[in-house]
Amino acid sequence: MPRISSFYGIVIYMHWNEAHHARPHFHARYAGESASVAVDGAVIAGRLPRRALTLVAEWASQHRDELEANWERARREEALEPIDPLP
């Protein structure tokens, strides 16, 4: 799964071919926990600690267009673009 960003110990990955939640989303991992998160920041599956989830949602809101563009790239099986981390 391609890594597209990393910040504050949170690592963000994306790939698209998942039948159980095929809407545009990414995966966030932190401290041994992981969640599938829609590009609007809503958790689809899994869980993250509250503070990590708050940071992930903030990051997603700042980069929604880039996330959607990467989702389309992934659907076309093209290389994904890295996305800037939170400052």
Side-chain angles (χ1 to χ4, degrees):
M1 189 170 356
R3 179 176 145 169
I4 58 172
S5 194
S6 178
F7 49 90
Y8 303 114
I10 301 165
V11 182
I12 307 294
Y13 299 89
M14 180 181 280
H15 67 98
W16 76 275
N17 193 7
E18 296 180 77
H20 59 281
H21 49 246
R23 70 185 196 202
H25 69 280
F26 56 90
H27 300 264
R29 294 185 183 157
Y30 176 76
E33 298 192 55
S34 64
S36 297
V37 182
V39 296
D40 65 3
V43 174
I44 299 170
R47 66 175 304 280
L48 291 172
R50 184 179 305 152
R51 179 69 180 139
L53 185 55
T54 298
L55 292 168
V56 167
E58 179 183 342
W59 175 82
S61 71
Q62 292 177 13
H63 298 286
R64 187 168 183 162
D65 291 342
E66 294 163 279
L67 286 164
E68 289 175 349
N70 262 347
W71 181 259
E72 290 305 316
R73 284 184 195 92
R75 288 177 47 118
R76 294 188 304 263
E77 298 183 7
E78 297 174 1
L80 304 183
E81 297 291 326
I83 299 177
D84 289 338
L86 285 175

